[in-house]
């Protein structure tokens, strides 16, 4: 696809459950941003987690989004069709000494962490046990991890920033390498069980492949952005503008999850709600 100056947004759900009101909010936000600029709204099916994704949820998400009044160009980009593309990118990072094979189990990682990370909400940062394998070829039982310190070293003195518009005004954020090292560490790029590319890798490759200019998604993914910005730099990919919107929460202030079926768009539809009523529930 040729680069374009048209504003392009995308909604990129994973078919691991029924879409809920939070997804409706995200999809409407991306749709309206595209419409307001005579741009384009794309749908991408992020079905890289082959263990949790189900065809019936994919069918359901098309139905729900159509019912909400949204449309998108077809064919839809599906991650499960693109494993070769991601593998080629991961091979490139391995060749450049920016990634390495890792066969640690969860238990190995827990055991290698010197101090229990009490109260931590995020998964613990990988302790780097296999980092000495940088330069090796991965075998069948290996995951592939980013060598984050090597990746940060490539930056040298370069400052990487990106534009965030989620708070209603435009703010420039920049990568702080020390924070990135402490918060993310050597993230997985290729999963060892399914051989699927991990989200951070596929998302930057796919946003670039689809010429996405504005990434609209929930605020829970804002912390992923510095790492994704770094991957864009390493892979010479463009950086979109990011718009992280507030999360839709239940009456107790808890963020909605796919397992909370009660908030599923399909349930509201079955209960006779109309789309304007859904929009008004969402404050739109
Ligand atoms: N597939 C991700 C999800 O369903 C969204 C990723 C993104 O928008 O960057 O949460």
């Amino acid at each position: 696809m040729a680069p374009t100056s048209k504003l392009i947004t995308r909604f990129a759900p994973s078919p691991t459950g029924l879409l809920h009101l939070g997804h409706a909010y995200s999809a409407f936000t991306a749709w309206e941003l595209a419409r307001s600029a005579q741009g384009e709204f794309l749908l991408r099916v992020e079905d890289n987690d082959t263990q949790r994704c189900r065809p019936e949820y994919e069918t359901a998400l098309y139905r729900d989004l159509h019912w909400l009044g949204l449309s998108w160009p077809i064919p839809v980009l599906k991650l499960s069709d693109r494993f070769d593309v991601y593998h080629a990118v991961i091979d490139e990072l391995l060749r450049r000494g920016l990634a390495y094979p890792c066969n640690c189990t969860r238990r190995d990682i827990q055991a290698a962490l010197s101090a229990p990370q009490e109260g931590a909400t995020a998964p613990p940062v990988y302790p780097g046990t296999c980092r000495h394998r940088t330069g090796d070829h991965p075998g069948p039982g290996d995951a592939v991890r980013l060598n984050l310190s090597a990746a940060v070293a490539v930056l040298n003195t370069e400052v990487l920033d990106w534009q965030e518009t989620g708070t209603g005004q435009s703010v420039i954020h920049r990568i702080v390498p020390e924070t990135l090292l402490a918060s993310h560490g050597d993230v997985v790029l290729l999963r060892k069980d399914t051989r699927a590319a991990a989200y951070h890798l596929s998302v930057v490759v796919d946003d670039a492949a689809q010429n996405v200019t504005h990434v609209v998604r929930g605020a829970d993914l804002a912390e992923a952005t510095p790492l994704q910005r770094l991957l864009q730099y390493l892979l010479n990919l463009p950086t979109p503008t990011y718009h992280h919107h507030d999360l839709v929460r239940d009456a107790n202030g808890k963020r909605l999850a796919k397992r909370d079926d009660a908030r599923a768009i399909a349930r509201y539809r079955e209960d006779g709600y109309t789309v304007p009523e859904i929009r008004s529930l969402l404050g739109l």
Side-chain angles (χ1 to χ4, degrees):
M1 238 192 283
T4 167
S5 56
K6 186 165 66 168
L7 186 148
I8 300 180
T9 66
R10 52 55 165 193
F11 177 56
S14 306
T16 55
L18 290 173
L19 297 189
H20 54 59
L21 286 184
H23 294 105
Y25 185 79
S26 208
F28 277 135
T29 306
W31 167 263
E32 276 154 26
L33 179 62
R35 284 251 305 231
S36 68
Q38 278 93 48
E40 192 163 27
F41 168 87
L42 304 179
L43 178 66
R44 180 163 80 227
V45 175
E46 297 212 317
D47 57 349
N48 44 345
D49 185 344
T50 49
Q51 285 168 344
R52 291 171 58 228
C53 293
R54 299 263 178 281
E56 57 271 29
Y57 291 134
E58 186 183 335
T59 307
L61 78 83
Y62 297 135
R63 192 173 57 223
D64 290 345
L65 295 173
H66 280 311
W67 179 69
L68 292 174
L70 310 188
S71 56
W72 49 86
I74 47 174
V76 164
L77 195 97
K78 288 177 59 172
L79 275 61
S80 53
D81 293 334
R82 292 172 52 77
F83 283 5
D84 289 352
V85 175
Y86 311 131
H87 287 185
V89 172
I90 291 167
D91 283 347
E92 181 198 327
L93 292 171
L94 283 162
R95 265 198 315 276
R96 290 167 58 194
L98 299 174
Y100 58 85
C102 167
N103 59 1
C104 290
T105 61
R106 263 175 225 271
R107 186 173 300 183
D108 295 335
I109 296 171
Q110 283 301 342
L113 288 165
S114 48
Q117 304 192 349
E118 208 178 311
T121 49
V125 166
Y126 177 66
T129 319
C130 290
R131 199 177 293 140
H132 65 277
R133 296 180 65 194
T134 300
D136 288 0
H137 284 293
D142 285 329
V144 175
R145 288 182 180 274
L146 180 68
N147 184 330
L148 188 58
S149 20
V152 161
V154 172
L155 280 184
N156 197 1
T157 54
E158 184 118 18
V159 175
L160 297 187
D161 54 20
W162 68 94
Q163 192 181 3
E164 169 67 55
T165 58
T167 50
Q169 75 225 77
S170 170
V171 180
I172 301 294
H173 287 278
R174 67 178 39 160
I175 288 187
V176 181
E178 301 72 36
T179 311
L180 196 55
L181 286 160
S183 61
H184 287 80
D186 293 353
V187 292
V188 170
L189 300 176
L190 182 80
R191 291 177 51 168
K192 78 169 150 199
D193 45 1
T194 57
R195 315 299 299 154
Y199 159 67
H200 292 301
L201 192 279
S202 63
V203 76
V204 296
V205 171
D206 292 342
D207 283 334
Q210 295 193 289
N211 295 316
V212 170
T213 62
H214 288 69
V215 169
V216 176
R217 59 188 183 190
D220 53 334
L221 289 170
E223 64 185 20
T225 313
L227 184 72
Q228 294 173 10
R229 177 68 186 89
L230 178 64
L231 286 170
Q232 287 156 358
Y233 176 81
L234 297 174
L235 298 169
N236 201 17
L237 300 173
T239 299
T241 296
Y242 286 88
H243 183 98
H244 290 97
H245 57 73
D246 286 344
L247 298 178
V248 177
R249 297 182 182 276
D250 67 12
N252 302 317
K254 197 165 122 302
R255 117 179 133 89
L256 301 185
K258 288 208 183 89
R259 54 189 175 279
D260 303 335
D261 223 35
R263 301 284 167 150
I265 297 166
R267 295 278 169 278
Y268 283 92
R269 185 171 63 240
E270 284 155 14
D271 288 350
Y273 277 75
T274 63
V275 176
E277 283 167 342
I278 298 281
R279 291 181 58 90
S280 117
L281 276 177
L282 293 169
L284 292 168

